[in-house]
Protein backbone atom coordinates (compact mmCIF):
# COMPACT_ATOMS: atom_id res chain seq x y z
CA UNK A 1 0.00 0.00 0.00
CA UNK A 2 1.61 3.27 -1.07
CA UNK A 3 0.63 5.66 1.70
CA UNK A 4 2.54 8.50 3.37
CA UNK A 5 2.12 7.20 6.91
CA UNK A 6 4.13 4.14 6.04
CA UNK A 7 7.00 6.17 4.61
CA UNK A 8 9.66 7.12 7.23
CA UNK A 9 10.78 9.97 4.98
CA UNK A 10 7.44 11.65 5.45
CA UNK A 11 7.49 14.18 8.34
CA UNK A 12 5.84 12.81 11.48
CA UNK A 13 3.00 15.32 11.56
CA UNK A 14 2.13 14.47 7.93
CA UNK A 15 2.25 10.75 8.75
CA UNK A 16 -0.14 11.34 11.66
CA UNK A 17 -2.54 13.33 9.50
CA UNK A 18 -2.53 10.74 6.74
CA UNK A 19 -3.05 7.79 9.08
CA UNK A 20 -5.74 9.54 11.10
CA UNK A 21 -7.66 10.28 7.92
CA UNK A 22 -7.78 6.57 7.14
CA UNK A 23 -8.96 5.42 10.57
CA UNK A 24 -12.52 4.50 11.49
CA UNK A 25 -13.94 5.74 14.78
CA UNK A 26 -13.70 2.17 16.13
CA UNK A 27 -9.99 2.02 15.24
CA UNK A 28 -9.42 5.41 16.87
CA UNK A 29 -11.08 4.23 20.08
CA UNK A 30 -9.00 1.04 19.88
CA UNK A 31 -5.81 3.08 19.77
CA UNK A 32 -6.91 4.85 22.96
CA UNK A 33 -7.15 1.50 24.76
CA UNK A 34 -4.39 -0.20 26.78
CA UNK A 35 -5.19 -3.77 27.82
CA UNK A 36 -3.37 -6.24 30.08
CA UNK A 37 -1.31 -9.00 28.46
CA UNK A 38 -3.47 -11.76 29.96
CA UNK A 39 -6.45 -10.82 27.75
CA UNK A 40 -4.41 -9.83 24.69
CA UNK A 41 -5.46 -12.51 22.21
CA UNK A 42 -4.50 -12.05 18.53
CA UNK A 43 -8.19 -11.52 17.71
CA UNK A 44 -8.61 -8.75 20.28
CA UNK A 45 -5.37 -7.06 19.22
CA UNK A 46 -6.18 -7.24 15.54
CA UNK A 47 -9.93 -6.66 15.50
CA UNK A 48 -9.79 -3.96 18.17
CA UNK A 49 -6.76 -2.18 16.73
CA UNK A 50 -5.57 -2.05 20.34
CA UNK A 51 -3.17 0.83 20.95
CA UNK A 52 -1.18 -0.68 23.78
CA UNK A 53 -0.67 -3.71 26.01
CA UNK A 54 0.86 -3.68 29.46
CA UNK A 55 2.21 -6.03 32.09
CA UNK A 56 0.71 -5.47 35.52
CA UNK A 57 3.43 -5.71 38.17
CA UNK A 58 5.05 -9.13 37.73
CA UNK A 59 2.67 -10.27 34.95
CA UNK A 60 4.91 -12.05 32.44
CA UNK A 61 5.26 -15.16 30.24
CA UNK A 62 5.91 -17.27 33.36
CA UNK A 63 7.49 -16.96 36.81
CA UNK A 64 11.18 -16.00 36.58
CA UNK A 65 10.98 -15.57 32.82
CA UNK A 66 14.15 -14.19 31.25
CA UNK A 67 14.40 -11.42 28.66
CA UNK A 68 14.33 -13.67 25.60
CA UNK A 69 11.01 -15.16 26.75
CA UNK A 70 9.60 -11.67 27.26
CA UNK A 71 10.80 -10.62 23.81
CA UNK A 72 9.11 -13.68 22.28
CA UNK A 73 5.87 -12.73 24.01
CA UNK A 74 5.95 -9.06 23.00
CA UNK A 75 6.92 -9.89 19.39
CA UNK A 76 3.95 -12.25 19.28
CA UNK A 77 1.57 -9.47 20.27
CA UNK A 78 3.18 -7.17 17.71
CA UNK A 79 2.75 -9.65 14.89
CA UNK A 80 -0.98 -9.70 15.60
CA UNK A 81 -1.10 -5.89 15.67
CA UNK A 82 0.62 -5.61 12.30
CA UNK A 83 -2.06 -7.86 10.82
CA UNK A 84 -4.74 -5.28 11.65
CA UNK A 85 -6.27 -3.37 8.73
CA UNK A 86 -3.91 -0.40 8.99
CA UNK A 87 -1.02 -2.32 10.60
CA UNK A 88 -0.53 0.12 13.48
CA UNK A 89 2.04 -1.33 15.92
CA UNK A 90 1.21 -1.59 19.62
CA UNK A 91 3.22 0.00 22.39
CA UNK A 92 4.03 -2.56 25.08
CA UNK A 93 4.41 -0.96 28.51
CA UNK A 94 5.87 -2.12 31.84
CA UNK A 95 6.84 -0.67 35.23
CA UNK A 96 10.62 -0.69 34.90
CA UNK A 97 11.00 1.65 37.85
CA UNK A 98 14.39 0.58 39.25
CA UNK A 99 15.85 -1.43 36.39
CA UNK A 100 13.78 -3.87 34.37
CA UNK A 101 12.51 -5.21 37.65
CA UNK A 102 9.98 -7.82 36.43
CA UNK A 103 12.57 -9.73 34.45
CA UNK A 104 14.67 -12.47 36.08
CA UNK A 105 18.37 -11.64 36.04
CA UNK A 106 17.91 -7.94 35.30
CA UNK A 107 20.03 -5.41 37.19
CA UNK A 108 17.96 -4.00 40.06
CA UNK A 109 19.01 -0.45 40.96
CA UNK A 110 18.25 1.34 44.23
CA UNK A 111 14.70 2.63 44.44
CA UNK A 112 14.20 6.34 43.84
CA UNK A 113 14.50 7.45 47.48
CA UNK A 114 18.04 6.02 47.55
CA UNK A 115 18.88 7.77 44.28
CA UNK A 116 17.56 11.00 45.79
CA UNK A 117 20.10 10.54 48.60
CA UNK A 118 22.88 10.60 45.97
CA UNK A 119 21.67 13.92 44.53
CA UNK A 120 23.72 12.83 41.50
CA UNK A 121 21.87 13.71 38.27
CA UNK A 122 24.62 12.34 36.04
CA UNK A 123 24.57 8.97 37.84
CA UNK A 124 20.79 8.79 37.52
CA UNK A 125 20.97 9.58 33.81
CA UNK A 126 23.40 6.67 33.39
CA UNK A 127 20.95 4.45 35.25
CA UNK A 128 18.29 5.53 32.74
CA UNK A 129 20.57 4.53 29.85
CA UNK A 130 21.22 1.10 31.37
CA UNK A 131 17.56 0.57 32.23
CA UNK A 132 16.47 1.45 28.69
CA UNK A 133 18.86 -1.13 27.26
CA UNK A 134 17.62 -3.88 29.58
CA UNK A 135 13.98 -3.00 28.92
CA UNK A 136 14.55 -3.02 25.17
CA UNK A 137 16.34 -6.38 25.50
CA UNK A 138 13.00 -7.80 26.63
CA UNK A 139 11.35 -6.35 23.52
CA UNK A 140 9.59 -3.58 25.44
CA UNK A 141 9.71 0.08 24.23
CA UNK A 142 7.80 1.79 27.07
CA UNK A 143 8.28 2.13 30.84
CA UNK A 144 5.93 3.77 33.32
CA UNK A 145 8.80 5.74 34.84
CA UNK A 146 10.02 8.00 36.35
CA UNK A 147 7.77 8.65 39.29
CA UNK A 148 8.46 12.33 40.03
CA UNK A 149 6.30 12.56 43.14
CA UNK A 150 7.50 14.97 45.84
CA UNK A 151 6.82 13.02 49.03
CA UNK A 152 5.54 15.00 51.96
CA UNK A 153 4.67 12.29 54.50
CA UNK A 154 6.63 9.03 55.08
CA UNK A 155 3.41 7.29 56.03
CA UNK A 156 2.67 7.19 52.27
CA UNK A 157 3.04 3.70 50.84
CA UNK A 158 4.89 5.00 47.76
CA UNK A 159 7.54 6.98 49.61
CA UNK A 160 10.37 4.94 48.12
CA UNK A 161 9.17 5.71 44.59
CA UNK A 162 9.80 9.40 45.26
CA UNK A 163 13.31 10.87 45.00
CA UNK A 164 12.78 13.34 47.83
CA UNK A 165 10.59 15.65 49.88
CA UNK A 166 12.64 18.43 48.31
CA UNK A 167 11.27 19.54 44.94
CA UNK A 168 14.70 20.70 43.80
CA UNK A 169 16.19 17.23 44.32
CA UNK A 170 13.31 15.63 42.42
CA UNK A 171 13.84 18.13 39.60
CA UNK A 172 17.53 17.16 39.38
CA UNK A 173 16.71 13.46 39.28
CA UNK A 174 14.45 13.89 36.25
CA UNK A 175 17.71 13.49 34.32
CA UNK A 176 16.65 9.85 34.13
CA UNK A 177 14.25 10.88 31.34
CA UNK A 178 17.22 11.78 29.13
CA UNK A 179 18.85 8.50 30.08
CA UNK A 180 15.76 6.52 29.17
CA UNK A 181 14.73 8.36 25.98
CA UNK A 182 18.00 9.91 24.81
CA UNK A 183 18.89 13.60 24.65
CA UNK A 184 16.80 15.73 22.26
CA UNK A 185 18.93 17.62 19.70
CA UNK A 186 19.23 21.41 19.93
CA UNK A 187 16.12 23.05 18.56
CA UNK A 188 13.88 20.10 19.42
CA UNK A 189 10.40 21.63 19.70
CA UNK A 190 9.35 22.23 23.32
CA UNK A 191 6.93 19.66 24.69
CA UNK A 192 7.34 17.39 21.69
CA UNK A 193 7.98 13.71 22.54
CA UNK A 194 11.47 12.39 21.86
CA UNK A 195 12.96 8.89 21.62
CA UNK A 196 16.46 8.71 20.16
CA UNK A 197 16.41 5.17 18.83
CA UNK A 198 16.13 1.42 19.38
CA UNK A 199 18.30 1.51 22.51
CA UNK A 200 15.95 3.98 24.16
CA UNK A 201 12.46 3.71 25.53
CA UNK A 202 9.37 5.86 25.83
CA UNK A 203 9.27 7.32 29.36
CA UNK A 204 6.30 8.28 31.51
CA UNK A 205 6.39 11.06 34.12
CA UNK A 206 4.01 10.12 36.92
CA UNK A 207 1.65 10.61 38.68
CA UNK A 208 0.42 13.99 37.56
CA UNK A 209 0.05 15.86 39.87
CA UNK A 210 0.51 16.04 43.63
CA UNK A 211 0.45 12.29 44.34
CA UNK A 212 3.04 12.72 47.11
CA UNK A 213 1.22 15.51 48.89
CA UNK A 214 -1.95 13.80 50.07
CA UNK A 215 -3.29 14.38 53.56
CA UNK A 216 -1.72 12.00 56.11
CA UNK A 217 0.14 10.38 53.23
CA UNK A 218 -2.95 8.38 52.31
CA UNK A 219 -2.28 6.78 48.93
CA UNK A 220 -4.69 7.96 46.21
CA UNK A 221 -5.92 10.54 48.73
CA UNK A 222 -6.47 14.26 48.56
CA UNK A 223 -3.83 16.98 48.20
CA UNK A 224 -5.06 20.25 49.66
CA UNK A 225 -3.00 23.12 48.26
CA UNK A 226 -3.29 26.48 46.57
CA UNK A 227 -2.57 26.35 42.86
CA UNK A 228 0.66 28.29 43.52
CA UNK A 229 1.87 25.65 46.01
CA UNK A 230 0.77 22.77 43.78
CA UNK A 231 2.74 24.33 40.93
CA UNK A 232 5.80 25.23 43.03
CA UNK A 233 6.06 21.97 45.00
CA UNK A 234 4.56 19.19 42.86
CA UNK A 235 4.38 20.40 39.26
CA UNK A 236 7.89 21.79 38.86
CA UNK A 237 9.51 18.38 38.06
CA UNK A 238 7.08 17.92 35.15
CA UNK A 239 8.45 21.04 33.49
CA UNK A 240 11.91 19.45 33.60
CA UNK A 241 10.52 16.22 32.14
CA UNK A 242 8.74 18.12 29.36
CA UNK A 243 11.93 20.08 28.65
CA UNK A 244 13.65 16.71 28.13
CA UNK A 245 10.98 15.58 25.68
CA UNK A 246 9.14 13.14 27.97
CA UNK A 247 6.75 11.23 25.72
CA UNK A 248 3.96 10.36 28.14
CA UNK A 249 2.51 11.52 31.46
CA UNK A 250 0.39 9.36 33.77
CA UNK A 251 -2.48 10.96 35.65
CA UNK A 252 -2.63 10.47 39.41
CA UNK A 253 -5.32 8.50 41.23
CA UNK A 254 -5.24 11.25 43.86
CA UNK A 255 -7.29 14.42 44.04
CA UNK A 256 -6.45 18.10 44.25
CA UNK A 257 -8.67 20.07 46.62
CA UNK A 258 -11.24 17.30 46.40
CA UNK A 259 -11.30 16.99 42.60
CA UNK A 260 -10.02 13.73 41.06
CA UNK A 261 -7.00 14.33 38.83
CA UNK A 262 -8.42 11.99 36.21
CA UNK A 263 -11.37 14.36 35.75
CA UNK A 264 -9.48 17.61 36.16
CA UNK A 265 -9.66 19.28 32.74
CA UNK A 266 -7.99 22.42 34.08
CA UNK A 267 -4.82 20.57 35.12
CA UNK A 268 -4.72 17.89 32.39
CA UNK A 269 -5.62 20.03 29.41
CA UNK A 270 -5.40 23.74 30.18
CA UNK A 271 -2.21 23.49 32.26
CA UNK A 272 -0.34 20.39 31.05
CA UNK A 273 -1.26 20.47 27.36
CA UNK A 274 -2.04 24.10 26.63
CA UNK A 275 0.14 26.10 29.05
CA UNK A 276 3.08 23.71 29.38
CA UNK A 277 2.80 22.64 25.74
CA UNK A 278 2.97 18.88 26.36
CA UNK A 279 2.51 17.12 23.00
CA UNK A 280 2.86 13.47 24.01
CA UNK A 281 -0.02 11.48 25.44
CA UNK A 282 -1.62 11.38 28.88
CA UNK A 283 -2.36 7.87 30.14
CA UNK A 284 -4.73 6.97 32.94
CA UNK A 285 -3.66 4.80 35.83
CA UNK A 286 -4.72 1.17 36.29
CA UNK A 287 -8.55 0.93 36.30
CA UNK A 288 -8.59 4.55 37.40
CA UNK A 289 -11.93 5.22 35.70
CA UNK A 290 -13.58 2.69 38.00
CA UNK A 291 -12.36 4.69 40.98
CA UNK A 292 -14.12 7.84 39.85
CA UNK A 293 -17.47 6.62 41.16
CA UNK A 294 -18.89 4.98 44.26
CA UNK A 295 -19.38 2.05 44.33
CA UNK A 296 -16.29 1.55 42.13
CA UNK A 297 -17.17 0.92 38.48
CA UNK A 298 -20.70 2.26 38.77
CA UNK A 299 -21.94 4.83 36.28
CA UNK A 300 -18.95 3.83 34.14
CA UNK A 301 -20.01 5.61 30.97
CA UNK A 302 -20.09 8.91 32.82
CA UNK A 303 -16.60 8.19 34.17
CA UNK A 304 -15.36 7.59 30.62
CA UNK A 305 -16.88 10.90 29.57
CA UNK A 306 -15.33 12.80 32.47
CA UNK A 307 -11.85 11.31 31.99
CA UNK A 308 -11.64 11.57 28.19
CA UNK A 309 -13.08 15.08 28.16
CA UNK A 310 -10.65 16.10 30.92
CA UNK A 311 -7.76 15.17 28.64
CA UNK A 312 -6.90 11.51 29.22
CA UNK A 313 -5.69 10.16 25.86
CA UNK A 314 -4.92 6.49 26.52
CA UNK A 315 -6.99 4.54 29.01
CA UNK A 316 -5.28 1.76 31.01
CA UNK A 317 -8.37 -0.43 31.05
CA UNK A 318 -6.72 -3.83 31.56
CA UNK A 319 -9.74 -6.10 31.33
CA UNK A 320 -13.01 -4.35 30.51
CA UNK A 321 -11.80 -2.82 27.27
CA UNK A 322 -15.01 -3.92 25.47
CA UNK A 323 -17.18 -1.88 27.83
CA UNK A 324 -14.78 1.04 27.55
CA UNK A 325 -14.93 0.95 23.75
CA UNK A 326 -18.71 0.56 23.62
CA UNK A 327 -19.21 3.44 26.04
CA UNK A 328 -16.77 5.76 24.32
CA UNK A 329 -18.25 5.05 20.87
CA UNK A 330 -21.70 5.82 22.26
CA UNK A 331 -20.40 9.03 23.87
CA UNK A 332 -18.94 10.22 20.58
CA UNK A 333 -22.12 9.36 18.69
CA UNK A 334 -24.17 11.28 21.25
CA UNK A 335 -21.77 14.23 21.02
CA UNK A 336 -20.94 14.11 24.75
CA UNK A 337 -17.34 13.46 23.76
CA UNK A 338 -16.47 15.56 20.72
CA UNK A 339 -14.78 13.81 17.79
CA UNK A 340 -12.12 16.52 18.01
CA UNK A 341 -11.18 15.21 21.46
CA UNK A 342 -10.81 11.68 20.06
CA UNK A 343 -8.67 12.96 17.19
CA UNK A 344 -6.46 14.92 19.59
CA UNK A 345 -5.93 11.81 21.72
CA UNK A 346 -5.16 9.58 18.74
CA UNK A 347 -2.82 12.16 17.20
CA UNK A 348 -0.83 12.20 20.43
CA UNK A 349 -0.68 8.41 20.59
CA UNK A 350 0.38 8.11 16.94
CA UNK A 351 2.95 10.87 17.46
CA UNK A 352 4.66 8.84 20.19
CA UNK A 353 4.54 5.69 18.06
CA UNK A 354 6.11 7.43 15.07
CA UNK A 355 8.70 9.24 17.19
CA UNK A 356 9.64 5.97 18.90
CA UNK A 357 10.24 4.35 15.50
CA UNK A 358 7.73 1.59 16.14
CA UNK A 359 6.49 1.58 12.54
CA UNK A 360 10.03 1.04 11.25
CA UNK A 361 11.20 -1.26 14.06
CA UNK A 362 8.16 -2.96 15.64
CA UNK A 363 10.05 -6.02 16.89
CA UNK A 364 12.66 -6.73 19.56
CA UNK A 365 16.40 -6.44 18.96
CA UNK A 366 17.87 -9.74 20.17
CA UNK A 367 21.41 -8.39 19.98
CA UNK A 368 20.69 -6.67 23.31
CA UNK A 369 20.05 -9.87 25.28
CA UNK A 370 23.63 -10.16 26.50
CA UNK A 371 23.40 -6.79 28.21
CA UNK A 372 20.79 -7.88 30.77
CA UNK A 373 22.34 -7.98 34.23
CA UNK A 374 25.79 -7.49 32.68
CA UNK A 375 28.87 -6.65 34.75
CA UNK A 376 28.90 -3.05 33.57
CA UNK A 377 25.32 -2.48 34.72
CA UNK A 378 25.90 -4.22 38.04
CA UNK A 379 28.93 -2.02 38.66
CA UNK A 380 26.79 1.01 37.90
CA UNK A 381 24.18 -0.23 40.39
CA UNK A 382 26.96 -0.87 42.92
CA UNK A 383 28.14 2.72 42.48
CA UNK A 384 24.58 3.93 43.01
CA UNK A 385 24.32 1.91 46.23
CA UNK A 386 27.60 3.33 47.51
CA UNK A 387 26.40 6.89 46.87
CA UNK A 388 22.91 6.31 48.27
CA UNK A 389 23.97 5.25 51.79
CA UNK A 390 23.50 7.82 54.54
CA UNK A 391 25.63 7.59 57.69
CA UNK A 392 23.48 8.79 60.58
CA UNK A 393 25.71 7.82 63.53
CA UNK A 394 29.38 6.86 63.73
CA UNK A 395 30.68 6.11 67.20
CA UNK A 396 29.27 6.45 70.70
CA UNK A 397 31.41 9.45 71.43
CA UNK A 398 32.46 12.16 69.05
CA UNK A 399 36.19 11.41 69.38
CA UNK A 400 36.09 7.74 68.40
CA UNK A 401 34.47 6.75 65.11
CA UNK A 402 33.23 3.21 64.84
CA UNK A 403 33.29 2.95 61.05
CA UNK A 404 35.03 2.02 58.81
CA UNK A 405 34.95 -1.56 60.07
CA UNK A 406 38.01 -3.80 59.99
CA UNK A 407 37.32 -6.38 57.27
CA UNK A 408 40.15 -8.51 58.70
CA UNK A 409 38.67 -8.65 62.17
CA UNK A 410 38.86 -12.00 63.98
CA UNK A 411 35.14 -12.78 64.03
CA UNK A 412 32.11 -10.88 62.69
CA UNK A 413 28.50 -11.58 63.69
CA UNK A 414 25.99 -10.86 60.91
CA UNK A 415 22.36 -10.73 62.08
CA UNK A 416 18.92 -9.39 61.34
CA UNK A 417 16.00 -10.14 59.01
CA UNK A 418 17.53 -8.17 56.14
CA UNK A 419 21.13 -9.41 56.24
CA UNK A 420 20.56 -12.22 53.78
CA UNK A 421 17.33 -11.43 51.93
CA UNK A 422 17.62 -10.25 48.35
CA UNK A 423 13.88 -9.72 48.05
CA UNK A 424 13.75 -7.33 50.99
CA UNK A 425 16.85 -5.60 49.69
CA UNK A 426 15.05 -4.87 46.39
CA UNK A 427 11.66 -4.00 47.88
CA UNK A 428 8.41 -3.59 45.99
CA UNK A 429 8.10 -3.65 42.18
CA UNK A 430 10.60 -6.49 41.95
CA UNK A 431 9.75 -9.84 40.32
CA UNK A 432 6.17 -9.26 41.42
CA UNK A 433 4.06 -6.18 42.05
CA UNK A 434 4.55 -6.03 45.81
CA UNK A 435 7.94 -7.77 45.86
CA UNK A 436 8.72 -10.59 48.27
CA UNK A 437 11.29 -12.12 50.59
CA UNK A 438 13.98 -14.55 49.46
CA UNK A 439 16.48 -15.23 46.70
CA UNK A 440 14.15 -13.80 44.04
CA UNK A 441 16.71 -13.09 41.31
CA UNK A 442 20.44 -12.92 40.65
CA UNK A 443 22.16 -10.61 43.11
CA UNK A 444 24.34 -10.13 46.20
CA UNK A 445 22.88 -9.89 49.67
CA UNK A 446 24.57 -7.96 52.46
CA UNK A 447 25.74 -11.26 53.96
CA UNK A 448 27.08 -12.44 50.57
CA UNK A 449 28.97 -9.17 50.28
CA UNK A 450 30.44 -9.40 53.79
CA UNK A 451 31.70 -12.90 53.11
CA UNK A 452 33.27 -11.69 49.85
CA UNK A 453 34.91 -8.67 51.49
CA UNK A 454 36.09 -10.23 54.77
CA UNK A 455 39.72 -11.27 55.16
CA UNK A 456 40.79 -14.86 54.65
CA UNK A 457 41.38 -15.32 58.38
CA UNK A 458 38.15 -13.66 59.38
CA UNK A 459 35.28 -15.85 60.58
CA UNK A 460 31.85 -14.59 59.54
CA UNK A 461 28.97 -16.03 61.58
CA UNK A 462 25.42 -15.42 60.34
CA UNK A 463 22.37 -15.84 62.53
CA UNK A 464 19.17 -13.97 61.74
CA UNK A 465 18.12 -13.84 65.40
CA UNK A 466 21.29 -14.49 67.43
CA UNK A 467 20.84 -16.89 70.33
CA UNK A 468 22.48 -16.90 73.72
CA UNK A 469 24.14 -20.17 72.67
CA UNK A 470 25.74 -18.47 69.69
CA UNK A 471 27.15 -15.79 71.89
CA UNK A 472 28.32 -18.33 74.45
CA UNK A 473 30.06 -20.38 71.76
CA UNK A 474 31.74 -17.34 70.28
CA UNK A 475 32.35 -15.04 73.19
CA UNK A 476 34.84 -12.91 71.30
CA UNK A 477 33.01 -11.33 68.35
CA UNK A 478 34.88 -8.31 67.07
CA UNK A 479 31.59 -6.61 66.23
CA UNK A 480 28.10 -7.22 64.83
CA UNK A 481 26.53 -6.02 61.61
CA UNK A 482 22.75 -6.03 62.05
CA UNK A 483 20.51 -5.43 59.01
CA UNK A 484 16.83 -4.86 59.75
CA UNK A 485 14.00 -3.11 57.98
CA UNK A 486 10.74 -3.30 56.08
CA UNK A 487 9.04 -6.08 54.18
CA UNK A 488 8.43 -5.54 50.48
CA UNK A 489 5.28 -3.64 49.59
CA UNK A 490 3.74 -1.43 46.90
CA UNK A 491 1.15 1.34 46.75
CA UNK A 492 -1.61 1.37 49.35
CA UNK A 493 -0.27 -1.80 50.97
CA UNK A 494 2.63 0.35 52.06
CA UNK A 495 0.49 3.00 53.76
CA UNK A 496 1.60 2.80 57.39
CA UNK A 497 0.71 4.89 60.42
CA UNK A 498 3.18 3.38 62.92
CA UNK A 499 6.43 3.11 60.94
CA UNK A 500 8.10 0.89 63.53
CA UNK A 501 10.87 -1.49 62.46
CA UNK A 502 9.10 -4.75 61.53
CA UNK A 503 10.18 -8.35 62.18
CA UNK A 504 11.25 -7.53 65.73
CA UNK A 505 14.20 -5.57 64.43
CA UNK A 506 14.45 -3.73 67.73
CA UNK A 507 14.58 -7.03 69.64
CA UNK A 508 17.77 -8.08 67.84
CA UNK A 509 19.32 -4.70 68.55
CA UNK A 510 18.31 -4.79 72.20
CA UNK A 511 19.55 -8.37 72.60
CA UNK A 512 23.02 -7.52 71.27
CA UNK A 513 23.29 -4.10 72.89
CA UNK A 514 25.97 -4.09 75.54
CA UNK A 515 27.34 -7.47 74.42
CA UNK A 516 29.38 -6.21 71.47
CA UNK A 517 29.90 -3.18 69.24
CA UNK A 518 27.19 -2.94 66.62
CA UNK A 519 26.54 -1.37 63.21
CA UNK A 520 22.85 -1.26 62.29
CA UNK A 521 21.90 -1.06 58.61
CA UNK A 522 18.30 -0.01 58.01
CA UNK A 523 16.84 -1.45 54.77
CA UNK A 524 13.62 0.50 54.25
CA UNK A 525 11.68 2.60 51.80
CA UNK A 526 11.54 5.53 54.22
CA UNK A 527 12.50 6.80 57.68
CA UNK A 528 11.28 4.53 60.48
CA UNK A 529 10.88 5.01 64.23
CA UNK A 530 14.34 4.65 65.75
CA UNK A 531 13.61 6.47 68.92
CA UNK A 532 16.72 7.89 70.59
CA UNK A 533 17.00 4.87 72.91
CA UNK A 534 17.75 2.61 69.94
CA UNK A 535 20.22 5.06 68.49
CA UNK A 536 22.01 5.38 71.85
CA UNK A 537 22.51 1.60 72.09
CA UNK A 538 24.29 1.20 68.78
CA UNK A 539 27.71 2.27 67.62
CA UNK A 540 26.81 3.22 64.05
CA UNK A 541 23.67 3.59 61.99
CA UNK A 542 23.36 3.56 58.18
CA UNK A 543 20.21 4.21 56.13
CA UNK A 544 20.52 1.93 53.08
CA UNK A 545 17.00 2.51 51.67
CA UNK A 546 16.11 -0.26 49.14
CA UNK A 547 19.48 -0.86 47.47
CA UNK A 548 18.55 -3.57 44.96
CA UNK A 549 20.72 -6.49 43.82
CA UNK A 550 24.18 -5.08 44.42
CA UNK A 551 24.71 -5.49 48.16
CA UNK A 552 28.46 -5.11 47.77
CA UNK A 553 27.88 -1.39 47.36
CA UNK A 554 27.17 -1.44 51.09
CA UNK A 555 30.32 -3.32 52.14
CA UNK A 556 32.44 -1.08 49.88
CA UNK A 557 31.51 1.80 52.17
CA UNK A 558 31.24 0.24 55.64
CA UNK A 559 34.69 -1.35 55.22
CA UNK A 560 36.09 1.98 54.05
CA UNK A 561 36.93 1.22 50.42
CA UNK A 562 35.00 4.38 49.68
CA UNK A 563 33.50 7.14 51.81
CA UNK A 564 29.89 7.95 52.53
CA UNK A 565 28.43 10.71 50.35
CA UNK A 566 24.67 10.22 50.74
CA UNK A 567 22.52 12.90 52.34
CA UNK A 568 18.98 12.44 53.69
CA UNK A 569 16.46 13.18 50.89
CA UNK A 570 13.73 13.16 53.53
CA UNK A 571 13.53 14.43 57.11
CA UNK A 572 13.97 11.74 59.75
CA UNK A 573 11.28 12.33 62.35
CA UNK A 574 11.73 11.84 66.08
CA UNK A 575 8.28 10.47 66.58
CA UNK A 576 5.20 9.82 64.48
CA UNK A 577 3.22 12.60 66.12
CA UNK A 578 5.44 15.14 64.37
CA UNK A 579 4.25 14.08 60.90
CA UNK A 580 4.04 15.59 58.40
CA UNK A 581 7.44 17.12 59.17
CA UNK A 582 8.18 20.08 56.98
CA UNK A 583 11.69 21.48 56.70
CA UNK A 584 10.20 24.84 55.80
CA UNK A 585 8.12 24.96 58.99
CA UNK A 586 9.48 26.94 61.95
CA UNK A 587 8.67 24.06 64.35
CA UNK A 588 11.03 21.77 62.48
CA UNK A 589 12.62 19.41 65.03
CA UNK A 590 13.68 16.15 63.31
CA UNK A 591 15.90 13.43 64.73
CA UNK A 592 18.03 13.96 61.60
CA UNK A 593 17.27 16.87 59.24
CA UNK A 594 16.88 16.59 55.49
CA UNK A 595 20.34 16.94 53.95
CA UNK A 596 22.05 15.31 56.95
CA UNK A 597 24.78 12.73 56.39
CA UNK A 598 28.13 12.00 58.06
CA UNK A 599 31.30 11.02 56.24
CA UNK A 600 34.63 9.57 57.24
CA UNK A 601 36.21 12.84 56.31
CA UNK A 602 34.40 15.15 58.71
CA UNK A 603 31.14 15.76 60.57
CA UNK A 604 28.58 17.25 58.15
C1 LIG B 1 -0.32 1.10 39.30
C2 LIG B 1 0.44 2.35 39.66
C3 LIG B 1 1.21 2.94 38.50
C4 LIG B 1 1.63 1.85 37.54
C5 LIG B 1 0.37 1.25 36.95
C6 LIG B 1 0.70 0.07 36.01
O1 LIG B 1 -1.55 1.08 39.97
O2 LIG B 1 -0.29 3.40 40.28
O3 LIG B 1 2.34 3.64 39.06
O4 LIG B 1 2.44 2.38 36.52
O5 LIG B 1 -0.55 0.80 37.94
O6 LIG B 1 1.26 -0.98 36.75
Amino acid sequence: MDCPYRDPRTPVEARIKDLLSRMSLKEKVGQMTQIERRVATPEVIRDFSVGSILSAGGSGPRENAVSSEWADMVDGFQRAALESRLGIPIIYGIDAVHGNNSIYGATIFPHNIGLGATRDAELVERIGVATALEVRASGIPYTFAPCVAVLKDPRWGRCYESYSEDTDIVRKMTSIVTGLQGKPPPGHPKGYPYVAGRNNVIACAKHFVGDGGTELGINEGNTMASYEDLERIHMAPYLDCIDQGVSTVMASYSSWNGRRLHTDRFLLTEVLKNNLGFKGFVISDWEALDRLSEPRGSNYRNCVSLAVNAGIDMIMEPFKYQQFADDLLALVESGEVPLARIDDAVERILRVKFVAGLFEHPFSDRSLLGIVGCKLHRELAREAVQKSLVLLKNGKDAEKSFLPLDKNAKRILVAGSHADDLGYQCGGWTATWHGTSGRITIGTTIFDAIKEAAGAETEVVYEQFPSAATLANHSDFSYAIVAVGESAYAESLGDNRELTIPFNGNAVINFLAGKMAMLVILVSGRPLVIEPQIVEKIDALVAAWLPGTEGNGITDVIFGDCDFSGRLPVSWFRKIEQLPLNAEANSYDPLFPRGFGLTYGKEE
Side-chain angles (χ1 to χ4, degrees), residues 274-329:
N274 299 346
N275 296 355
L276 300 181
F278 175 63
K279 303 249 179 337
F281 69 76
V282 176
I283 186 168
S284 67
D285 205 335
W286 177 277
E287 295 182 337
L289 273 55
D290 276 9
R291 305 187 193 192
L292 299 180
S293 56
E294 280 303 328
R296 277 191 180 186
S298 60
N299 202 3
Y300 183 72
R301 182 168 295 185
N302 183 49
C303 299
V304 172
S305 174
L306 288 170
V308 173
N309 279 328
I312 303 281
D313 301 309
M314 179 174 284
I315 286 77
M316 187 185 295
E317 195 51 86
F319 306 113
K320 61 185 204 183
Y321 51 87
Q322 183 69 61
Q323 184 181 355
F324 166 70
D326 294 346
D327 285 350
L328 186 50
L329 285 169

Side-chain angles (χ1 to χ4, degrees), residues 54-57 95 144 158 206-207 250 253 285-286 316 429 491:
L54 87 149
S55 277
D95 290 279
F144 306 122
R158 307 193 74 165
K206 70 183 187 182
H207 311 80
M250 186 182 293
Y253 284 127
D285 205 335
W286 177 277
M316 187 185 295
W429 294 104
E491 302 193 51

